[in-house]
Each structure stands twice: as C-alpha cells, then as structure tokens.
Amino acid sequence: MKKFPWLYITVLTLFVGLPLGGLVGQGVAFAHRSIPLGVASGCVFGFLLISLITLYYRRAMLKRDPNFTLGDLATRRTTTLVLPVSADDAFDLCVESVQYLPGFFAFISSKAELKIEGTTGGGGGAGYFSLGAPGERITVAIKPLAQQQAEVTLESRPATFFIVLDFGKNRQNLNAISKGITYQITRRFEGQREATQRAEMQRALTEAKLTVLEAHIEPHFLYNTLANAQLLIRQDPKRADEMLGNLITYLRASVPSPDRQSEAPQNGMSSTLGREIERSSAYLEILKIRMGSRLNVRIDMPETLAGRGFPAMMVQTLVENSIKHGLESKPGGGTISINAATTTTQLVLTVSDDGIGLREGTSGTGLGLKNIRDRLRLSFNGQATFSLKPNLPCGMVAAISIPLHGTNENEK
C-alpha cells in the first residue's frame, strides 16, 4: 500500500489553505463580529479549497495515467531497477542516461560512492504549478547485488520547496532515465551479440575453407599418379593395381561426402583420427611406388584411438610438408613417421621425418601451417597446441595436441 502524501497535504495547507482560509475567516469575523465563527469559516473554506484542488489534480492526472492513486499525490517520486550488469557498469549506464534530461547538471557524480545527484533545467512536456524556481533535483543511487547484478534507485523531486502540484514531471523524468538505461543495455548486449556472431561467422568461414581444402586434389599429384599407373599397367600390372587401389582410397577420403559428414563425431570435428591416418597412408603408399626405396613409412596408432575425433586434413597437411620440404629433395630419401598417443588430458599426433629440415630463410610459417594454427585456435579456444621443432640428428617433428575429452566418437 502506498504511503499517504503528508508532504503534499502539508505544503498545500501552508501555502494555500491557511493564507486563503485566514483571509476568509478574517472577513467573516469582521462582518459578524464573531471570532469563533471566523475561525470555523476559515477552516471550512481552507478544507474545501484543498479538497477541490486535490480532486482537480487527481482528475487531471488520471487522464495522464489511469493507474494514478492517492499515494501518487506526493511531489517526490522514486523507482527501483535491477540491472544485469556490475555496479560499476550500472554507474556508467546511469551517467549516460541522465543526459537525456533537459538541462541536467550534475554536482555529485562519484563512482566510488556509486551516486549521482544533480538538477534539471525544468523543460519538457509535463510540469508543475510552482511558486519557486523551475527544475527538479535528480538522485541516482546504485547498490551492488551480485558480481553481475546491481540495484539502481532513481528519485525525482522539486528543486525548491515552493511547489504545489506536480503534473507528471517527476514521472516523466524517471521514465526518461529508465528508457535511457534500457537503451544503453540493449545497445551493449547487441554489441556483444554482434561480436559473437562475427566469431561464429569466422568459424563458419574457416570450416568453409576447410571444405574447399578437402575437395581440392593437387593436380600434379593426380596427373603423375595416373601417368605412373598407366606406365605400370604395361610393365608391372600388380603394382599398377596397387597404386590405383591406393588412389581410390585417397580420393574417397579427400572428396567431401554427405555420408562421411554424417558419420563424423558430434563434437565440432569433421573427421576421426583413423580416417585421417587412412587418407595419409594411402597418399604415402602411392608415393612409395613412385619413390621406391627412397621412402620409408612408419605408422603407429593404437586401434583404441581410431574412433577419436580429429580435425580433417591436418595430418595430410603435415605429411605433405614432410615430403615436399624434407624427403623429396633429399638424396637417398628417408623415413616419415606418424605416431598417435594420449596423455592424461590430451590426444597427441606427431609427424616426423629425417629429411633436410628447414632451409635457411624459412621458419615453418607457410599457409598450410598457418591454417592449422588458426583452426586449432578457433575450434578449441586455446586448449589445443601446434609445434614444429628440429628432429635430431636431422629433419623435423610436427606435433598437434588437442583436448582428449570429447574426442571419443561415442561420447555425447
């Protein structure tokens, strides 16, 4: 229940009822030569005048607000808001919002005390019947409720005491501040939503680039493989059949397929470790037929890890880098090793070779390796790592480490 408007009644009595009632009482007392009759007449007249003003005021305010009640007659109006932000952020929002009031001047604005106090210039649609200077005194007090929750108390009242009627000015002030705060919060949340959308769009773009990368088969590799297979058909049909079989396996794993995508683990990764190593193994088997004894391949992956989710094309990129930059140009060739293992929390895949290593002027920051780093950062939020180090006595070791939790194809 709202409090009775004692301040309104007191002010109206002092500045309207007593002066005008006193004049009427004096007139009656003088005319009838009776002081008691004059006092009674003055009191009745003052009471009736205050009642008529109150009824007129209430009728006028009901036109503005159908929910207006007797408790709203007070010239001081307060409201409380609970904001889903910290107390410091709520203070900043309130500082911005009070500027929506015409002619607002803050003489107290303390972030340490979480308080704003000032006066307005008195402009706006609503107003007062006032005997004093125009304008209102605005007070904003902020109280922290939780780490990301704050209570804001707004108060609007006349800047001077000489005031009789408030025709919605205080309500207008509080509504303006409340709307300003709502606008500021909406704009802030829209900015956060736009930032999230940009991050999601960047992730989608990365995945789209990955799809293109998966669908892209190196033309020279394909042409050389087919040319070698055509030559071997006449010279060594068995090896030609083996090469074509490996080529089919490689192509099946490289070209995106709706069936394969539906079989991918439901954890944000588009392939499995077993599928990726199968692709790279087929690629290396084709190269072994072309390079002969110059290329040796070692693959060590426990069967229990075959179903673990793993980002597509990363193993293939590392294998192609080892062949192109390490073994292909090395006289006598060498060995490439693919190893998969787990720690307590991580799934670690390494691709190593004993080739010529990084040449002078290179640092392992090519487009393929940059793509791996960017995808790991976007997909795992800093919980995955990529490293490229020298392999003693020669060659390089590339390692990808991703969180072990959630990589199981059967995990939900």
Side-chain angles (χ1 to χ4, degrees), residues 11 29 56-57 82 131 224 234 267 287 327 358 378 400:
V11 171
Y56 168 76
Y57 180 35
V82 177
L131 300 178
N224 290 338
R234 293 190 290 268
N267 50 26
L287 291 184
L327 298 177
L358 291 177
L378 289 171
I400 295 174

Side-chain angles (χ1 to χ4, degrees), residues 390-405:
N391 185 24
L392 299 177
C394 60
M396 299 297 296
V397 178
I400 295 174
S401 177
I402 66 174
L404 186 61
H405 177 69

